[in-house]
Amino acid sequence: MTVRVRFAPSPTGMFHVGGARSALQNWIYAKQQGGVFVLRIEDTDAARNKPEWTEGILSALDWIGISRGSYEGPYFQSANAGEHRAAATRLYESGRAYYCDCTREDVQARTGSQYQGYDGYHRDLGLGPGPGHALRFRTPDEGSTVVVDLIRGEPTFENKLIEDFVIARGDGSPVFLLANVVDDMTMGITHVIRAEEHLPNTPKQQLLWDALGVKPPVWAHVPVVVNEKRQKLSKRRDKVALEAYRDEGYLAGAMRNYLMLLGWAPSGDREIVEWSVIEDEFRLEEVNPSPAFFDEKKLRAFNGEYIRALPVSEFIDACQPWLTGTGTIAPPPWQPEEYDADAFAAVAPLAQTRLAVLSEIVPNVDFLFLASPLIDEAAWTKTMKDGSADLLDAAIAAFEALQSWDAESLKSTLEAVGAERGLKLGKTQAPVRVAVTGRTVGLPLFESLEVLGRERTLTRMRAARLRLV
């Protein structure tokens, strides 16, 4: 039997990091088993679906390494509507489903509770199909449904506690539960690896598989992903869009690595490992069923490690979208003609050691490409105090007299200026840094001044000095 897994997102918004984790787990499992990864777009929610969301799913999968052409699909659930309706008809004709025209208010009036589930009123009344008649599955009165789960063991659900659930609406359209089952049957899915939030629906789906005469798939419900308050990650409350992390400058390798650690870990005391190690060592049955904490601070640390591990040439290439404003990245504060690739290449090794995300490259190097620096007024106020004017005057004069404009000469010269005033280098260079870069922190100062050049450096220092008059 060929293993066939599926990833079935809905195109109703940005691509959730939890969905990305499920996609990766399905992808690796299929690869390990010599099987097939199927992409199915569950697009039956016409009011919320948008073509751009579908493209977003495909692009996000591309980014994390599940490239187009390497999987089967994408299929679209809406294209299988005929099979959904045919399955509903078979269930009705076989007596496994019946029609019901009860409203929620009807059930509440009979049971005396708004919290009571459906009471089976129409089970034996023989109501036929018609406008407003929903089709309900006839859940067995006795026994239990055992879900054999690779991660959670054998959760058991008493059938008497499962209400006769709706499988087709009053207009005849099948609901998600039935459509999902029929699609998996049609596509020959053998293993369903999905989020824990779907577990409550699984006994209902397994009953549908049984009623339609097909062996259910192997189930594996991976743990829910939670925030620092141990609440399920929410699009309304949390930063969950994979595209947002991509556009902020997280590397795909770092994101892949981190997502796979949500509920699982490689052997040994390791977390940052080669993708080939993850592909080799990942085991579904070793996934921890407990909720998995998505720690953005830890992800940032991961990403910083991945950035520092890049060859410098790859780091330079990776920064280009932020330096040139390409794709979905906002344009930088300088004009395209102001960008100097050679200047960036000169400071790239210095910048590479300081970034947690690639978007941080812009405030680190903007002073190189702008006609004048963007002054952080808080930094100016904090730094330009009594004595700063005298210090800048002396530094300007000393720099003007330099024969060699290199980092070491600049450093020793400014050290001497500070020593004459009883200042350590840190105090001496602070006004110069703010005057030249606009900030109190950034790349190593003297290497930056070397790349910026004599004339631009002195022009900025003189402008700062005039502002202190």
Side-chain angles (χ1 to χ4, degrees):
M1 178 188 70
T2 299
V3 168
R4 291 175 61 83
V5 303
R6 49 79 164 173
F7 178 59
S10 298
T12 56
M14 303 295 275
F15 195 58
H16 197 291
V17 291
R21 181 197 58 170
S22 294
L24 288 170
Q25 290 170 329
N26 275 278
W27 175 258
I28 291 177
Y29 188 77
K31 188 172 183 179
Q32 288 176 337
Q33 303 299 319
V36 178
F37 177 96
V38 178
L39 176 62
R40 183 172 75 230
I41 306 297
E42 300 198 332
D43 62 338
T44 52
D45 188 349
R48 297 173 61 205
N49 294 339
K50 295 181 180 180
E52 55 265 36
W53 295 135
T54 297
E55 177 56 32
I57 291 169
L58 300 179
S59 296
L61 290 175
D62 275 342
W63 183 64
I64 59 172
I66 303 176
S67 58
R68 304 178 209 211
S70 64
Y71 50 78
E72 190 177 303
Y75 298 111
F76 292 86
Q77 189 172 65
S78 57
N80 211 23
E83 289 293 331
H84 303 158
R85 290 179 179 271
T89 299
R90 290 201 304 275
L91 290 169
Y92 171 65
E93 291 177 346
S94 66
R96 300 303 302 270
Y98 61 91
Y99 283 99
C100 166
D101 64 358
C102 292
T103 65
R104 184 173 300 176
E105 291 73 22
D106 293 336
V107 176
Q108 184 176 337
R110 287 196 300 270
T111 62
S113 171
Q114 60 178 317
Y115 305 107
Q116 179 80 26
Y118 179 66
D119 58 356
Y121 180 77
H122 276 93
R123 262 193 163 216
D124 301 310
L125 294 185
L127 183 68
H133 296 184
L135 186 63
R136 289 183 177 273
F137 182 77
R138 191 185 299 272
T139 303
D141 294 318
E142 300 177 348
S144 59
T145 298
V146 179
V147 174
V148 179
D149 192 294
L150 290 178
I151 296 171
R152 300 175 184 279
E154 297 186 359
T156 301
F157 302 83
E158 292 187 57
N159 291 333
K160 66 181 180 181
L161 299 179
I162 304 174
E163 68 175 8
D164 290 355
F165 51 93
V166 173
I167 58 174
R169 303 176 185 88
D171 62 2
S173 61
V175 302
F176 168 78
L177 278 174
L178 180 61
N180 190 267
V181 166
V182 173
D183 289 344
D184 284 347
M185 289 180 179
T186 303
M187 297 174 185
I189 302 303
T190 62
H191 294 68
V192 172
I193 305 166
R194 60 185 182 181
E196 176 188 357
E197 63 195 69
H198 296 288
L199 183 58
N201 286 329
T202 305
K204 298 177 182 179
Q205 292 180 315
Q206 185 159 309
L207 287 169
L208 288 172
W209 280 83
D210 291 338
L212 290 168
V214 182
K215 182 181 178 181
V218 176
W219 307 101
H221 289 89
V222 299
V224 64
V225 182
V226 298
N227 62 20
E228 60 185 3
K229 296 181 180 179
R230 299 310 187 263
Q231 301 167 319
K232 178 186 170 184
L233 283 187
S234 165
K235 291 182 179 180
R236 293 183 298 275
R237 180 184 58 237
D238 303 304
K239 180 180 173 183
V240 301
L242 190 71
E243 298 93 328
Y245 288 98
R246 178 193 63 197
D247 293 351
E248 191 177 339
Y250 285 83
L251 298 178
M255 179 61 77
R256 276 199 308 266
N257 188 162
Y258 183 71
L259 288 176
M260 288 302 297
L261 297 182
L262 298 178
W264 175 83
S267 61
D269 188 20
R270 302 177 298 169
E271 290 188 312
I272 296 178
V273 295
E274 294 289 336
W275 183 244
S276 60
V277 173
I278 293 176
E279 287 187 321
D280 181 60
E281 293 192 1
F282 176 71
R283 297 291 183 272
L284 264 179
E285 59 271 17
E286 294 177 0
V287 172
N288 190 323
S290 301
F293 171 34
F294 188 90
D295 185 347
E296 189 175 346
K297 292 180 180 178
K298 185 174 182 179
L299 174 58
R300 280 179 62 85
F302 260 60
N303 202 63
E305 292 290 335
Y306 269 81
I307 287 175
R308 288 185 284 280
L310 290 173
V312 174
S313 60
E314 291 185 21
F315 171 72
I316 291 173
D317 290 341
C319 289
Q320 293 309 303
W322 289 268
L323 298 172
T324 60
T326 57
T328 58
I329 307 302
W334 54 82
Q335 296 301 312
E337 63 272 14
E338 294 178 297
Y339 174 60
D340 184 336
D342 290 337
F344 177 65
V347 300
L350 306 174
Q352 186 174 3
T353 64
R354 287 163 169 75
L355 305 188
V357 292
L358 292 175
S359 58
E360 293 173 348
I361 194 61
V362 173
N364 271 279
V365 301
D366 59 4
F367 72 95
L368 282 175
F369 311 125
L370 295 168
S372 57
L374 297 173
I375 300 294
D376 179 341
E377 294 300 330
W380 179 277
T381 300
K382 179 181 178 181
T383 304
M384 299 301 191
K385 298 180 179 179
D386 293 342
S388 293
D390 170 67
L391 185 61
L392 284 175
D393 282 336
I396 290 169
F399 284 175
E400 286 175 334
L402 271 178
Q403 295 299 311
S404 177
W405 191 265
D406 60 79
E408 190 58 40
S409 298
L410 289 162
K411 179 181 179 182
S412 61
T413 298
L414 196 58
E415 278 182 320
V417 169
E420 291 174 358
R421 289 157 179 76
L423 298 175
K424 292 184 178 180
L425 182 59
K427 292 288 186 180
T428 308
Q429 71 178 8
V432 176
R433 179 184 288 280
V434 172
V436 176
T437 72
R439 298 180 175 86
T440 55
V441 295
L443 304 185
L445 177 62
F446 302 107
E447 288 82 353
S448 298
L449 299 185
E450 179 180 339
V451 175
L452 187 64
R454 182 190 301 268
E455 292 307 316
R456 295 178 74 192
T457 297
L458 290 172
T459 296
R460 294 181 183 193
M461 292 175 68
R462 293 176 189 130
R465 175 63 184 87
L466 288 173
R467 183 175 171 178
L468 291 173
V469 172

